[in-house]
Amino acid sequence: GNSVTQMEGPVTLSEEAFLTINCTYTATGYPSLFWYVQYPGEGLQLLLKATKADDKGSNKGFEATYRKETTSFHLEKGSVQVSDSAVYFCALSPQLAGNQFYFGTGTSLTVIP
Amino acid sequence: EPEVTQTPSHQVTQMGQEVILRCVPISNHLYFYWYRQILGQKVEFLVSFYNNEISEKSEIFDDQFSVERPDGSNFTLKIRSTKLEDSAMYFCASSFGGGNQPQHFGDGTRLSIL
């Protein structure tokens, strides 16, 4: 079946620290992978995506590389800011199974000054 | 930038009552979705809708649930007889294409069943 496993939170970092949020997946076929971010009181916003193996998605200093060999899509940022405090969701769209997205449980990130 | 809008932001309803959650998807999008997130749990798919019919639904989406696109702009989720376990955040989403096109989400409706 299809599923996403995300690193447990919450994560607390100091400003300018390096961030990694782990995401691994199980899927049939060739899925597309996404990271969404949810700021307090808001909906899920698309952060970045990758649609095939070895693709790297990037946006706002965040990056994630689609690794088929390790079935992973880890989110990284070199230097986090207080404004990055949010909940981050890894999601999978299975290419062959229709339209639904499968989400991880979300990882809460708090960045302190 | 166009966005998905949901109303109300918070709905409190007595158990057994009907509730309708409303969504206005992005205007040129063709695919529409409902998801829910029970507090502390995963975001779960409920249903997708395309060309005025349901294209996919999950096991959660039983006979108590229905969706409708009553006009050219709104997309609604109806829960016929609410249960305590329906308490959750409900997210509407839309996309231009299906499959691996990104889905754009609204801010959600928090549904509280008493």
PDB file of all heavy atoms in Angstrom, chain A residues 4-8 11 19-25 35 71-76 88-90 104-107:
ATOM      1  N   VAL A   4       3.219   7.231   4.296  1.00  0.00           N
ATOM      2  CA  VAL A   4       4.325   8.149   4.551  1.00  0.00           C
ATOM      3  C   VAL A   4       4.643   8.116   6.043  1.00  0.00           C
ATOM      4  O   VAL A   4       3.731   8.181   6.871  1.00  0.00           O
ATOM      5  CB  VAL A   4       3.939   9.587   4.128  1.00  0.00           C
ATOM      6  CG1 VAL A   4       5.025  10.570   4.532  1.00  0.00           C
ATOM      7  CG2 VAL A   4       3.689   9.650   2.635  1.00  0.00           C
ATOM      8  N   THR A   5       5.904   8.002   6.346  1.00  0.00           N
ATOM      9  CA  THR A   5       6.351   8.020   7.742  1.00  0.00           C
ATOM     10  C   THR A   5       7.247   9.234   7.942  1.00  0.00           C
ATOM     11  O   THR A   5       8.223   9.423   7.203  1.00  0.00           O
ATOM     12  CB  THR A   5       7.122   6.741   8.090  1.00  0.00           C
ATOM     13  OG1 THR A   5       6.279   5.620   7.872  1.00  0.00           O
ATOM     14  CG2 THR A   5       7.546   6.761   9.551  1.00  0.00           C
ATOM     15  N   GLN A   6       6.897  10.031   8.911  1.00  0.00           N
ATOM     16  CA  GLN A   6       7.637  11.260   9.168  1.00  0.00           C
ATOM     17  C   GLN A   6       8.264  11.213  10.533  1.00  0.00           C
ATOM     18  O   GLN A   6       7.739  10.584  11.464  1.00  0.00           O
ATOM     19  CB  GLN A   6       6.653  12.431   9.176  1.00  0.00           C
ATOM     20  CG  GLN A   6       6.847  13.426   8.104  1.00  0.00           C
ATOM     21  CD  GLN A   6       5.901  14.580   8.215  1.00  0.00           C
ATOM     22  OE1 GLN A   6       4.768  14.510   7.768  1.00  0.00           O
ATOM     23  NE2 GLN A   6       6.375  15.654   8.809  1.00  0.00           N
ATOM     24  N   MET A   7       9.361  11.916  10.628  1.00  0.00           N
ATOM     25  CA  MET A   7      10.073  12.078  11.893  1.00  0.00           C
ATOM     26  C   MET A   7       9.137  12.642  12.952  1.00  0.00           C
ATOM     27  O   MET A   7       8.367  13.581  12.678  1.00  0.00           O
ATOM     28  CB  MET A   7      11.227  13.027  11.632  1.00  0.00           C
ATOM     29  CG  MET A   7      11.915  13.612  12.776  1.00  0.00           C
ATOM     30  SD  MET A   7      13.209  14.676  12.107  1.00  0.00           S
ATOM     31  CE  MET A   7      13.760  15.425  13.602  1.00  0.00           C
ATOM     32  N   GLU A   8       9.193  12.069  14.143  1.00  0.00           N
ATOM     33  CA  GLU A   8       8.367  12.548  15.231  1.00  0.00           C
ATOM     34  C   GLU A   8       8.845  13.912  15.685  1.00  0.00           C
ATOM     35  O   GLU A   8      10.018  14.202  15.705  1.00  0.00           O
ATOM     36  CB  GLU A   8       8.436  11.577  16.417  1.00  0.00           C
ATOM     37  CG  GLU A   8       7.814  10.223  16.152  1.00  0.00           C
ATOM     38  CD  GLU A   8       6.305  10.263  16.209  1.00  0.00           C
ATOM     39  OE1 GLU A   8       5.769  11.102  16.952  1.00  0.00           O
ATOM     40  OE2 GLU A   8       5.663   9.466  15.514  1.00  0.00           O
ATOM     41  N   VAL A  11      10.174  19.549  17.105  1.00  0.00           N
ATOM     42  CA  VAL A  11      11.583  19.893  16.950  1.00  0.00           C
ATOM     43  C   VAL A  11      11.767  21.351  17.355  1.00  0.00           C
ATOM     44  O   VAL A  11      10.997  22.209  16.912  1.00  0.00           O
ATOM     45  CB  VAL A  11      12.018  19.706  15.479  1.00  0.00           C
ATOM     46  CG1 VAL A  11      13.439  20.197  15.276  1.00  0.00           C
ATOM     47  CG2 VAL A  11      11.882  18.251  15.064  1.00  0.00           C
ATOM     48  N   LEU A  19      18.459  22.362   9.662  1.00  0.00           N
ATOM     49  CA  LEU A  19      17.238  21.586   9.867  1.00  0.00           C
ATOM     50  C   LEU A  19      17.218  20.366   8.962  1.00  0.00           C
ATOM     51  O   LEU A  19      17.498  20.476   7.755  1.00  0.00           O
ATOM     52  CB  LEU A  19      16.015  22.446   9.547  1.00  0.00           C
ATOM     53  CG  LEU A  19      14.665  21.713   9.448  1.00  0.00           C
ATOM     54  CD1 LEU A  19      14.210  21.233  10.824  1.00  0.00           C
ATOM     55  CD2 LEU A  19      13.607  22.598   8.809  1.00  0.00           C
ATOM     56  N   THR A  20      16.869  19.226   9.529  1.00  0.00           N
ATOM     57  CA  THR A  20      16.494  18.050   8.746  1.00  0.00           C
ATOM     58  C   THR A  20      15.228  17.479   9.336  1.00  0.00           C
ATOM     59  O   THR A  20      15.154  17.258  10.558  1.00  0.00           O
ATOM     60  CB  THR A  20      17.584  16.953   8.794  1.00  0.00           C
ATOM     61  OG1 THR A  20      18.795  17.458   8.267  1.00  0.00           O
ATOM     62  CG2 THR A  20      17.157  15.750   7.967  1.00  0.00           C
ATOM     63  N   ILE A  21      14.241  17.243   8.493  1.00  0.00           N
ATOM     64  CA  ILE A  21      13.043  16.509   8.895  1.00  0.00           C
ATOM     65  C   ILE A  21      12.972  15.287   7.984  1.00  0.00           C
ATOM     66  O   ILE A  21      12.869  15.416   6.769  1.00  0.00           O
ATOM     67  CB  ILE A  21      11.762  17.347   8.772  1.00  0.00           C
ATOM     68  CG1 ILE A  21      11.843  18.594   9.662  1.00  0.00           C
ATOM     69  CG2 ILE A  21      10.556  16.502   9.166  1.00  0.00           C
ATOM     70  CD1 ILE A  21      10.633  19.512   9.552  1.00  0.00           C
ATOM     71  N   ASN A  22      13.020  14.117   8.594  1.00  0.00           N
ATOM     72  CA  ASN A  22      13.053  12.888   7.820  1.00  0.00           C
ATOM     73  C   ASN A  22      11.666  12.473   7.341  1.00  0.00           C
ATOM     74  O   ASN A  22      10.677  12.612   8.072  1.00  0.00           O
ATOM     75  CB  ASN A  22      13.649  11.750   8.647  1.00  0.00           C
ATOM     76  CG  ASN A  22      15.136  11.932   8.871  1.00  0.00           C
ATOM     77  OD1 ASN A  22      15.805  12.640   8.128  1.00  0.00           O
ATOM     78  ND2 ASN A  22      15.663  11.304   9.902  1.00  0.00           N
ATOM     79  N   CYS A  23      11.633  11.949   6.124  1.00  0.00           N
ATOM     80  CA  CYS A  23      10.396  11.430   5.548  1.00  0.00           C
ATOM     81  C   CYS A  23      10.751  10.206   4.709  1.00  0.00           C
ATOM     82  O   CYS A  23      11.628  10.286   3.840  1.00  0.00           O
ATOM     83  CB  CYS A  23       9.718  12.478   4.680  1.00  0.00           C
ATOM     84  SG  CYS A  23       8.316  11.874   3.722  1.00  0.00           S
ATOM     85  N   THR A  24      10.090   9.106   4.966  1.00  0.00           N
ATOM     86  CA  THR A  24      10.233   7.930   4.121  1.00  0.00           C
ATOM     87  C   THR A  24       8.852   7.494   3.667  1.00  0.00           C
ATOM     88  O   THR A  24       7.837   7.824   4.293  1.00  0.00           O
ATOM     89  CB  THR A  24      10.921   6.766   4.861  1.00  0.00           C
ATOM     90  OG1 THR A  24      10.184   6.464   6.048  1.00  0.00           O
ATOM     91  CG2 THR A  24      12.347   7.123   5.235  1.00  0.00           C
ATOM     92  N   TYR A  25       8.814   6.765   2.587  1.00  0.00           N
ATOM     93  CA  TYR A  25       7.519   6.429   2.016  1.00  0.00           C
ATOM     94  C   TYR A  25       7.485   4.980   1.551  1.00  0.00           C
ATOM     95  O   TYR A  25       8.521   4.350   1.313  1.00  0.00           O
ATOM     96  CB  TYR A  25       7.189   7.362   0.847  1.00  0.00           C
ATOM     97  CG  TYR A  25       8.077   7.177  -0.357  1.00  0.00           C
ATOM     98  CD1 TYR A  25       7.763   6.261  -1.356  1.00  0.00           C
ATOM     99  CD2 TYR A  25       9.264   7.905  -0.484  1.00  0.00           C
ATOM    100  CE1 TYR A  25       8.598   6.072  -2.449  1.00  0.00           C
ATOM    101  CE2 TYR A  25      10.097   7.728  -1.575  1.00  0.00           C
ATOM    102  CZ  TYR A  25       9.770   6.810  -2.550  1.00  0.00           C
ATOM    103  OH  TYR A  25      10.595   6.619  -3.624  1.00  0.00           O
ATOM    104  N   TRP A  35       6.274  18.416   0.013  1.00  0.00           N
ATOM    105  CA  TRP A  35       6.290  18.952   1.369  1.00  0.00           C
ATOM    106  C   TRP A  35       5.323  20.122   1.430  1.00  0.00           C
ATOM    107  O   TRP A  35       5.366  21.014   0.574  1.00  0.00           O
ATOM    108  CB  TRP A  35       7.687  19.423   1.787  1.00  0.00           C
ATOM    109  CG  TRP A  35       8.568  18.314   2.273  1.00  0.00           C
ATOM    110  CD1 TRP A  35       9.540  17.668   1.577  1.00  0.00           C
ATOM    111  CD2 TRP A  35       8.558  17.728   3.587  1.00  0.00           C
ATOM    112  NE1 TRP A  35      10.127  16.706   2.367  1.00  0.00           N
ATOM    113  CE2 TRP A  35       9.551  16.722   3.603  1.00  0.00           C
ATOM    114  CE3 TRP A  35       7.811  17.961   4.739  1.00  0.00           C
ATOM    115  CZ2 TRP A  35       9.805  15.951   4.737  1.00  0.00           C
ATOM    116  CZ3 TRP A  35       8.062  17.190   5.857  1.00  0.00           C
ATOM    117  CH2 TRP A  35       9.055  16.200   5.851  1.00  0.00           C
ATOM    118  N   THR A  71      13.896   5.233  -0.585  1.00  0.00           N
ATOM    119  CA  THR A  71      12.477   5.657  -0.462  1.00  0.00           C
ATOM    120  C   THR A  71      12.345   6.795   0.541  1.00  0.00           C
ATOM    121  O   THR A  71      11.570   6.724   1.507  1.00  0.00           O
ATOM    122  CB  THR A  71      11.545   4.481  -0.098  1.00  0.00           C
ATOM    123  OG1 THR A  71      11.912   3.935   1.172  1.00  0.00           O
ATOM    124  CG2 THR A  71      11.583   3.408  -1.160  1.00  0.00           C
ATOM    125  N   SER A  72      13.104   7.850   0.299  1.00  0.00           N
ATOM    126  CA  SER A  72      13.110   8.972   1.236  1.00  0.00           C
ATOM    127  C   SER A  72      12.956  10.300   0.517  1.00  0.00           C
ATOM    128  O   SER A  72      13.228  10.419  -0.691  1.00  0.00           O
ATOM    129  CB  SER A  72      14.411   8.971   2.048  1.00  0.00           C
ATOM    130  OG  SER A  72      15.516   9.209   1.202  1.00  0.00           O
ATOM    131  N   PHE A  73      12.535  11.291   1.283  1.00  0.00           N
ATOM    132  CA  PHE A  73      12.355  12.656   0.761  1.00  0.00           C
ATOM    133  C   PHE A  73      12.549  13.604   1.945  1.00  0.00           C
ATOM    134  O   PHE A  73      11.652  14.308   2.372  1.00  0.00           O
ATOM    135  CB  PHE A  73      10.957  12.770   0.136  1.00  0.00           C
ATOM    136  CG  PHE A  73      10.740  14.015  -0.690  1.00  0.00           C
ATOM    137  CD1 PHE A  73      11.580  14.338  -1.743  1.00  0.00           C
ATOM    138  CD2 PHE A  73       9.643  14.842  -0.441  1.00  0.00           C
ATOM    139  CE1 PHE A  73      11.356  15.466  -2.520  1.00  0.00           C
ATOM    140  CE2 PHE A  73       9.408  15.981  -1.213  1.00  0.00           C
ATOM    141  CZ  PHE A  73      10.265  16.290  -2.249  1.00  0.00           C
ATOM    142  N   HIS A  74      13.739  13.634   2.464  1.00  0.00           N
ATOM    143  CA  HIS A  74      14.037  14.405   3.676  1.00  0.00           C
ATOM    144  C   HIS A  74      14.080  15.898   3.378  1.00  0.00           C
ATOM    145  O   HIS A  74      14.691  16.319   2.390  1.00  0.00           O
ATOM    146  CB  HIS A  74      15.373  13.978   4.272  1.00  0.00           C
ATOM    147  CG  HIS A  74      15.464  12.515   4.577  1.00  0.00           C
ATOM    148  ND1 HIS A  74      14.410  11.778   5.080  1.00  0.00           N
ATOM    149  CD2 HIS A  74      16.501  11.650   4.445  1.00  0.00           C
ATOM    150  CE1 HIS A  74      14.793  10.528   5.236  1.00  0.00           C
ATOM    151  NE2 HIS A  74      16.053  10.414   4.866  1.00  0.00           N
ATOM    152  N   LEU A  75      13.502  16.672   4.267  1.00  0.00           N
ATOM    153  CA  LEU A  75      13.483  18.136   4.113  1.00  0.00           C
ATOM    154  C   LEU A  75      14.675  18.734   4.847  1.00  0.00           C
ATOM    155  O   LEU A  75      14.935  18.372   6.004  1.00  0.00           O
ATOM    156  CB  LEU A  75      12.181  18.697   4.686  1.00  0.00           C
ATOM    157  CG  LEU A  75      11.983  20.209   4.551  1.00  0.00           C
ATOM    158  CD1 LEU A  75      11.775  20.601   3.088  1.00  0.00           C
ATOM    159  CD2 LEU A  75      10.783  20.666   5.392  1.00  0.00           C
ATOM    160  N   GLU A  76      15.372  19.661   4.197  1.00  0.00           N
ATOM    161  CA  GLU A  76      16.542  20.295   4.803  1.00  0.00           C
ATOM    162  C   GLU A  76      16.509  21.798   4.566  1.00  0.00           C
ATOM    163  O   GLU A  76      15.995  22.273   3.563  1.00  0.00           O
ATOM    164  CB  GLU A  76      17.837  19.726   4.202  1.00  0.00           C
ATOM    165  CG  GLU A  76      18.054  18.265   4.483  1.00  0.00           C
ATOM    166  CD  GLU A  76      19.369  17.751   3.921  1.00  0.00           C
ATOM    167  OE1 GLU A  76      19.874  18.355   2.952  1.00  0.00           O
ATOM    168  OE2 GLU A  76      19.885  16.752   4.447  1.00  0.00           O
ATOM    169  N   TYR A  88       5.249  20.864   9.437  1.00  0.00           N
ATOM    170  CA  TYR A  88       5.658  20.441   8.100  1.00  0.00           C
ATOM    171  C   TYR A  88       5.115  19.035   7.825  1.00  0.00           C
ATOM    172  O   TYR A  88       5.269  18.128   8.640  1.00  0.00           O
ATOM    173  CB  TYR A  88       7.183  20.469   7.979  1.00  0.00           C
ATOM    174  CG  TYR A  88       7.717  21.882   8.029  1.00  0.00           C
ATOM    175  CD1 TYR A  88       7.897  22.530   9.246  1.00  0.00           C
ATOM    176  CD2 TYR A  88       7.989  22.588   6.864  1.00  0.00           C
ATOM    177  CE1 TYR A  88       8.349  23.845   9.298  1.00  0.00           C
ATOM    178  CE2 TYR A  88       8.443  23.899   6.911  1.00  0.00           C
ATOM    179  CZ  TYR A  88       8.608  24.520   8.129  1.00  0.00           C
ATOM    180  OH  TYR A  88       9.038  25.821   8.177  1.00  0.00           O
ATOM    181  N   PHE A  89       4.482  18.884   6.657  1.00  0.00           N
ATOM    182  CA  PHE A  89       3.871  17.615   6.275  1.00  0.00           C
ATOM    183  C   PHE A  89       4.529  17.097   5.004  1.00  0.00           C
ATOM    184  O   PHE A  89       4.602  17.812   3.993  1.00  0.00           O
ATOM    185  CB  PHE A  89       2.372  17.787   5.991  1.00  0.00           C
ATOM    186  CG  PHE A  89       1.542  18.117   7.187  1.00  0.00           C
ATOM    187  CD1 PHE A  89       1.338  19.437   7.559  1.00  0.00           C
ATOM    188  CD2 PHE A  89       0.959  17.115   7.940  1.00  0.00           C
ATOM    189  CE1 PHE A  89       0.557  19.755   8.660  1.00  0.00           C
ATOM    190  CE2 PHE A  89       0.177  17.421   9.051  1.00  0.00           C
ATOM    191  CZ  PHE A  89      -0.021  18.743   9.407  1.00  0.00           C
ATOM    192  N   CYS A  90       4.942  15.853   5.045  1.00  0.00           N
ATOM    193  CA  CYS A  90       5.389  15.155   3.853  1.00  0.00           C
ATOM    194  C   CYS A  90       4.179  14.451   3.233  1.00  0.00           C
ATOM    195  O   CYS A  90       3.315  13.937   3.965  1.00  0.00           O
ATOM    196  CB  CYS A  90       6.456  14.131   4.260  1.00  0.00           C
ATOM    197  SG  CYS A  90       7.257  13.270   2.914  1.00  0.00           S
ATOM    198  N   GLY A 104       2.004  12.342   5.891  1.00  0.00           N
ATOM    199  CA  GLY A 104       2.601  11.972   7.154  1.00  0.00           C
ATOM    200  C   GLY A 104       1.883  12.666   8.295  1.00  0.00           C
ATOM    201  O   GLY A 104       0.968  13.456   8.090  1.00  0.00           O
ATOM    202  N   THR A 105       2.308  12.380   9.505  1.00  0.00           N
ATOM    203  CA  THR A 105       1.651  12.916  10.696  1.00  0.00           C
ATOM    204  C   THR A 105       1.985  14.378  10.955  1.00  0.00           C
ATOM    205  O   THR A 105       1.340  15.013  11.770  1.00  0.00           O
ATOM    206  CB  THR A 105       2.030  12.116  11.941  1.00  0.00           C
ATOM    207  OG1 THR A 105       3.454  12.017  12.003  1.00  0.00           O
ATOM    208  CG2 THR A 105       1.427  10.728  11.910  1.00  0.00           C
ATOM    209  N   GLY A 106       2.970  14.903  10.251  1.00  0.00           N
ATOM    210  CA  GLY A 106       3.361  16.299  10.485  1.00  0.00           C
ATOM    211  C   GLY A 106       4.438  16.396  11.552  1.00  0.00           C
ATOM    212  O   GLY A 106       4.443  15.629  12.523  1.00  0.00           O
ATOM    213  N   THR A 107       5.355  17.328  11.361  1.00  0.00           N
ATOM    214  CA  THR A 107       6.417  17.588  12.332  1.00  0.00           C
ATOM    215  C   THR A 107       6.373  19.057  12.696  1.00  0.00           C
ATOM    216  O   THR A 107       6.491  19.917  11.815  1.00  0.00           O
ATOM    217  CB  THR A 107       7.804  17.241  11.752  1.00  0.00           C
ATOM    218  OG1 THR A 107       7.828  15.873  11.376  1.00  0.00           O
ATOM    219  CG2 THR A 107       8.895  17.508  12.774  1.00  0.00           C
TER     220      THR A 107
END
